[in-house]
Amino acid sequence: ELEKSKVFDAEKTAEWRKLLSQIDPYSCYNVYAVKSEDIVYNWAAFAMVSEWMRYYINAAPKDMTFIENQAASQWQWVDENGMYKEPNQPIVYDLVTRGLFALIFHYGYRGEYFERWDDALKRSGLCTLKMVSVTGEGAYGGRSNQFLHNEAHVALILEYEAARYAKLGDMKKASQFRGAVKKALDNIELWLKQEPIRHIKNSFPRESGYGCESYAYFDKYMITTASFLYVAYLLSDDSIPAAELDYRTGESWQSSDDFHKLFLRAGEYCIEYDYDAFVKYDVSGLGRLHRKNAPAAICISTPGPAKPSYVVNAKKVKAFSITPEILHNGKWLSSTAGNVTHKVIKHSAEGETASAQIDCRWQNGTEVKSFYFLDKNGLQITLEGNGDIALMLPAFSFDGTEKRLQD
């Protein structure tokens, strides 16, 4: 890109090419797979992309051994839907790693592992389309979620799949992917228009670190957002029209148990339910209810754990999601507790409706059946169980700018 734009003279870029060609990957990178069976997570995928791009610009040897070992080492973390399993399955890092493979495929990698990985991208790309909210947001869950780079990764994946289906002659499907890209970019733009701009979806001062892990500061993750938006741009094909997505039709989809998520969509609403949450970042229960064209913060976009691995501004932190509670020995016990099991019994979609049954079971044997029904009127929740039961319904108090009106 620097050469094409001629920001620097040819002598300087030639010098950089020469320096790039002198890199030894085995001493350059800190973490990588020496053998194909090595236990290495997405660090290896980043090293793979870096080496492929050196190879692409003729600044690396023609020996593909290093690249192939990285591609092979990553295959052991793929679930039955083609999604990528980082430790504890943070949903963002599924997108990140798939996006890295999409990038090298776009730039010509057709090595030993292309077919199996491209098949995984095709299967998981359809899953991504099902997981994106009606507001354009990627699914919540795990470390690094709720940053703007989440939607940048979503856009990258969707652009790659749009181009795939256009090449296959399925312009209807290609346009659906591009329509979802537009929704994701519109969502990012809402935050970029704020002053000052944000790298995470809240309005607290950047220096507060609210919602962030220690490593997730503005400079780092805003660069990440920009980098992956640029990759999405590289993969984009503007000859594919963006479809106006019809969110009225009912749809239900359950991930593998590795990612433990259920998604329902109908009547321009969507919900996301985590039935086995990783408690450092999330809790089990209904963690998202969105409506098309409505601000995501009106109801709930992500749950909150009792002991979060990120900064919060509350002195007394309580786990929350939209979820059943029971009265036991005079105390309300929430199903957000880690020792309560959540089990998806069934889910379905018909016409412009979607529904699901999820049962919660406490250690004392008490069970509550929860029925979720989505249509054009919104979400209806019905609980069935013995004794006193209730539904936790969180209400926002302060988002860094706006305060809830007091009764």
Side-chain angles (χ1 to χ4, degrees):
E1 289 301 313
L2 291 172
E3 287 175 326
K4 287 195 302 185
S5 63
K6 299 182 179 179
V7 173
F8 297 92
D9 60 43
E11 183 179 352
K12 175 56 69 176
T13 54
E15 177 188 354
W16 288 340
R17 275 183 177 273
K18 182 179 179 181
L19 289 170
L20 284 169
S21 67
Q22 294 171 6
I23 287 174
D24 171 23
Y26 296 98
S27 58
C28 176
Y29 305 111
N30 292 325
V31 183
Y32 55 84
V34 177
K35 303 183 298 295
S36 61
E37 64 271 21
D38 284 354
I39 306 297
V40 185
Y41 289 97
N42 75 9
W43 289 92
F46 278 99
M48 172 191 71
V49 169
S50 297
E51 280 305 287
W52 178 258
M53 297 315 291
R54 279 209 315 138
Y55 185 91
Y56 177 77
I57 65 169
N58 298 314
K62 296 302 180 184
D63 182 6
M64 294 270 290
T65 302
F66 182 89
I67 294 169
E68 298 288 30
N69 280 341
Q70 310 319 305
S73 74
Q74 299 300 278
W75 185 250
Q76 57 194 308
W77 313 122
V78 177
D79 78 356
E80 61 260 38
N81 294 315
M83 294 174 62
Y84 183 85
K85 301 181 294 184
E86 272 281 293
N88 302 308
Q89 289 75 56
I91 205 81
V92 179
Y93 291 98
D94 157 56
L95 294 170
V96 170
T97 307
R98 288 195 281 130
L100 296 175
F101 275 92
L103 178 58
I104 68 168
F105 294 170
H106 178 78
Y107 280 98
Y109 171 86
R110 294 296 182 271
E112 182 178 352
Y113 298 97
F114 170 73
E115 289 188 4
R116 71 170 69 173
W117 267 106
D118 191 53
D119 176 69
L121 294 191
K122 186 176 184 180
R123 289 184 285 119
S124 55
L126 292 169
C127 299
T128 302
L129 197 60
K130 297 175 186 294
M131 291 188 285
V132 176
S133 165
V134 295
T135 62
E137 297 181 57
Y140 73 78
R143 64 188 178 92
S144 300
N145 85 92
Q146 301 308 303
F147 292 89
L148 300 197
H149 67 73
N150 294 194
E151 283 63 49
H153 298 310
V154 166
L156 191 170
I157 294 293
L158 298 177
E159 288 284 20
Y160 182 79
E161 293 304 313
R164 175 201 301 281
Y165 286 97
K167 290 175 184 174
L168 293 172
D170 188 345
M171 293 304 296
K172 181 179 179 181
K173 180 65 71 176
S175 294
Q176 288 177 338
F177 276 99
R178 288 227 85 200
V181 169
K182 183 180 185 302
K183 293 288 290 185
L185 297 180
D186 287 347
N187 189 279
I188 294 174
E189 191 172 6
L190 289 173
W191 295 99
L192 295 181
K193 284 181 176 178
Q194 292 198 20
E195 294 183 5
I197 61 174
R198 302 286 194 271
H199 72 306
I200 188 170
K201 300 167 194 171
N202 67 62
S203 298
F204 290 87
R206 293 203 303 243
E207 59 272 16
S208 71
Y210 182 51
C212 303
E213 301 98 329
S214 61
Y215 57 82
Y217 44 90
F218 175 84
D219 311 53
K220 178 178 181 179
Y221 270 0
M222 188 53 86
I223 289 174
T224 303
T225 303
S227 297
F228 281 92
L229 283 174
Y230 177 60
V231 175
Y233 167 76
L234 290 174
L235 272 57
S236 66
D237 181 353
D238 284 338
S239 70
I240 305 170
E244 179 63 33
L245 298 175
D246 181 6
Y247 290 127
R248 294 171 300 175
T249 304
E251 187 175 80
S252 69
W253 183 74
Q254 184 177 350
S255 71
S256 69
D257 286 342
D258 294 302
F259 289 93
H260 37 80
K261 290 290 185 74
L262 174 68
F263 298 83
L264 299 183
R265 180 181 293 158
E268 299 191 338
Y269 290 85
C270 70
I271 66 172
E272 180 177 344
Y273 194 109
D274 192 329
Y275 56 88
D276 189 19
F278 180 49
V279 296
K280 288 187 176 181
Y281 292 96
D282 307 290
V283 293
S284 296
L286 197 159
R288 173 170 291 179
L289 171 59
H290 284 171
R291 183 183 181 182
K292 181 184 176 183
N293 297 330
I298 281 181
C299 189
I300 188 171
S301 285
T302 183
K307 296 180 180 180
S309 291
Y310 50 84
V311 177
V312 296
N313 73 327
K315 293 180 180 179
K316 293 183 179 180
V317 181
K318 181 179 179 180
F320 66 87
S321 64
I322 298 177
T323 197
E325 296 188 325
I326 61 170
L327 189 62
H328 180 68
N329 293 334
K331 292 184 178 180
W332 286 103
L333 302 180
S334 171
S335 57
T336 57
N339 57 11
V340 179
T341 59
H342 295 239
K343 185 177 181 180
V344 178
I345 304 301
K346 59 183 178 181
H347 61 92
S348 62
E350 182 178 355
E352 295 184 2
T353 68
S355 60
Q357 177 187 342
I358 301 174
D359 292 356
C360 297
R361 187 178 183 86
W362 281 256
Q363 278 191 318
N364 64 8
T366 302
E367 186 170 274
V368 174
K369 297 179 180 180
S370 306
F371 301 90
Y372 301 86
F373 180 79
L374 268 182
D375 66 4
K376 64 182 180 180
N377 298 312
L379 173 65
Q380 177 180 303
I381 303 174
T382 304
L383 303 181
E384 293 182 3
N386 296 323
D388 293 317
I389 58 178
L391 184 74
M392 177 190 287
L393 183 62
F396 98 94
S397 178
F398 184 50
D399 71 351
T401 301
E402 305 294 336
K403 288 185 178 291
R404 176 173 59 87
L405 294 175
Q406 300 299 314
D407 296 332

